[in-house]
């Protein structure tokens, strides 16, 4: 009987030891899992930390001469350079023209009219031009002659375009060009207060009947007496202009002209 008693006592000790081991095992596993979770959280926190992006500012190379609307170098930039501008965008051919210019690595300003931006298609065309890297200019809402408009009408003509361009692209126009080249004291002051650079042009021909042909337009744009250093070239969103654009750009370069990047013009820096 005595040996039975000792046997039962030994069995009890073994059972109690096994229970103690089982109790410790989940605790160790749980602590290990907690360690893993903390490690994972720390890893995620490290992944979402981003370095600030530094935006490189464009060097100012040219400034506008308001006496004749040409551009001159501010420093060592090539004086033999011209600016390309496209008015009345985006009507029918502006996106095509922007694509042509982008393929040629040719910078330009697209001056937009607000009445072309009232539809989803018009807004999409504006965004497409902007996304190709081109700066946008304000050419008024309805292409009105500001001289024949009241101050309130002038204000609406200019500010409405700024509002919609900013809503679509996230950036207000940097330049302003009045229809027919006609400004008023009020429009000049308003443009200045909006932080835009006012400009007209040196020459353009594509609205004249005799140059509504790609070949004839190319010929006059490249051989006019007004093609000089710093010339401000005016063209429009027109079929014949779109067809002539590649030859005009290549012809200008063949004559030794650089094309002014509007981002480098004095007066638009923030």
């Amino acid at each position: 009987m005595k040996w039975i008693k000792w046997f039962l006592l030994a069995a009890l000790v073994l059972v109690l030891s096994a229970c103690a081991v089982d109790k410790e095992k989940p605790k160790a596993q749980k602590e290990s899992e907690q360690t893993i979770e903390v490690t994972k959280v720390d890893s995620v926190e490290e992944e979402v930390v981003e370095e600030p992006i530094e935006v490189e500012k464009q060097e100012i190379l040219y400034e506008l001469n308001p006496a004749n609307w040409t551009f001159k170098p501010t420093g060592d930039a090539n004086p033999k350079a011209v600016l390309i501008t496209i008015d009345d965008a985006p009507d029918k051919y502006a996106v095509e023209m922007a694509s042509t210019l982008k393929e040629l690595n040719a910078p330009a300003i697209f001056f937009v009219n607000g009445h072309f931006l009232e539809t989803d298609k018009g807004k999409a065309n504006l965004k497409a031009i902007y996304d190709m890297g081109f700066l946008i200019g304000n050419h008024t809402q309805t292409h009105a002659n500001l001289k024949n408009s009241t101050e309130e009408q002038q204000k609406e003509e200019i500010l409405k375009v700024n509002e919609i361009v900013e809503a679509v692209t996230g950036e207000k126009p940097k330049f302003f060009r009045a229809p027919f080249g006609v400004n008023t004291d009020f429009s000049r002051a308003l443009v200045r207060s909006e932080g835009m650079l006012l400009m007209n042009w040196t020459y353009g021909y594509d609205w004249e009947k005799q140059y509504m042909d790609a070949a004839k337009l190319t010929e006059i744009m490249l051989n006019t007496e007004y093609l000089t250093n710093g010339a401000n070239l005016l063209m429009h969103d027109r079929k014949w202009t779109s067809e002539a654009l590649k030859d005009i750009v290549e012809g200008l370069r063949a004559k030794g002209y650089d094309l002014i990047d509007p981002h480098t013009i004095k007066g638009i820096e923030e």
Side-chain angles (χ1 to χ4, degrees):
M1 294 291 293
K2 194 172 186 178
W3 66 270
I4 294 174
K5 186 175 181 179
W6 284 108
F7 176 80
L8 291 173
L9 183 61
L12 180 60
V13 171
L14 289 172
V15 169
L16 291 174
S17 298
C19 289
V21 171
D22 286 340
K23 283 182 179 180
E24 290 300 318
K25 187 175 180 181
K27 182 179 179 183
Q29 288 177 341
K30 187 174 182 180
E31 288 175 349
S32 175
E33 291 169 358
Q34 287 175 339
T35 302
I36 292 171
E37 287 178 6
V38 170
T39 302
K40 286 180 178 178
V41 170
D42 289 342
S43 175
V44 170
E45 288 178 349
E46 290 175 359
E47 289 177 359
V48 297
V49 175
E50 297 181 357
E51 292 293 328
I53 299 174
E54 294 185 4
V55 178
E56 184 179 352
K57 291 185 177 180
Q58 288 279 359
E59 182 183 1
I60 299 304
L61 300 177
Y62 295 92
E63 62 180 334
L64 180 64
N65 179 0
N68 60 9
W69 307 110
T70 62
F71 292 89
K72 60 182 180 179
T74 57
D76 297 329
N78 184 7
K80 192 172 183 179
V82 297
L83 177 70
I84 291 177
T85 66
I86 311 295
D87 279 15
D88 297 354
D91 186 3
K92 297 178 181 178
Y93 304 97
V95 174
E96 179 183 321
M97 295 171 81
S99 297
T100 298
L101 290 168
K102 185 171 179 60
E103 289 174 4
L104 296 169
N105 193 27
I109 302 171
F110 281 79
F111 284 93
V112 301
N113 292 119
H115 62 86
F116 291 129
L117 308 176
E118 294 175 344
T119 64
D120 290 340
K121 182 178 180 181
K123 293 181 177 68
N125 288 340
L126 170 64
K127 187 65 163 54
I129 293 168
Y130 179 82
D131 286 347
M132 279 188 264
F134 296 99
L135 283 184
I136 304 301
N138 183 327
H139 197 41
T140 73
Q141 178 67 23
T142 68
H143 205 273
N145 188 326
L146 298 180
K147 190 176 181 180
N148 300 328
S149 306
T150 66
E151 290 186 356
E152 189 59 35
Q153 288 171 335
Q154 293 178 60
K155 186 175 180 180
E156 184 175 359
E157 285 285 341
I158 295 169
L159 296 187
K160 192 171 182 181
V161 175
N162 278 3
E163 290 170 4
I164 192 168
V165 170
E166 185 173 20
V168 172
T169 69
E171 183 177 21
K172 289 200 302 183
K174 299 286 190 181
F175 303 91
F176 176 78
R177 175 178 280 157
F180 317 106
V182 177
N183 282 285
T184 66
D185 290 341
F186 179 83
S187 70
R188 290 188 186 93
L190 180 58
V191 166
R192 187 165 52 249
S193 71
E194 284 291 300
M196 293 184 286
L197 182 64
L198 184 147
M199 69 164 64
N200 278 343
W201 60 88
T202 306
Y203 72 87
Y205 295 93
D206 64 354
W207 65 88
E208 296 182 22
K209 189 173 182 180
Q210 66 190 99
Y211 298 115
M212 293 180 181
D213 170 85
K216 292 179 180 178
L217 179 61
T218 301
E219 176 69 20
I220 189 65
M221 291 296 290
L222 295 178
N223 295 296
T224 176
E225 62 182 304
Y226 301 110
L227 176 55
T228 58
N229 289 359
N232 191 334
L233 279 55
L234 170 62
M235 290 179 273
H236 294 79
D237 180 336
R238 301 288 186 270
K239 182 177 185 295
W240 49 91
T241 311
S242 180
E243 293 170 348
L245 192 55
K246 183 175 185 292
D247 288 339
I248 291 172
V249 170
E250 291 179 343
L252 290 168
R253 286 173 168 161
K255 285 177 172 285
Y257 286 96
D258 285 345
L259 302 182
I260 296 173
D261 183 345
H263 294 86
T264 67
I265 295 174
K266 183 178 180 180
I268 67 163
E269 62 271 20
E270 296 180 354

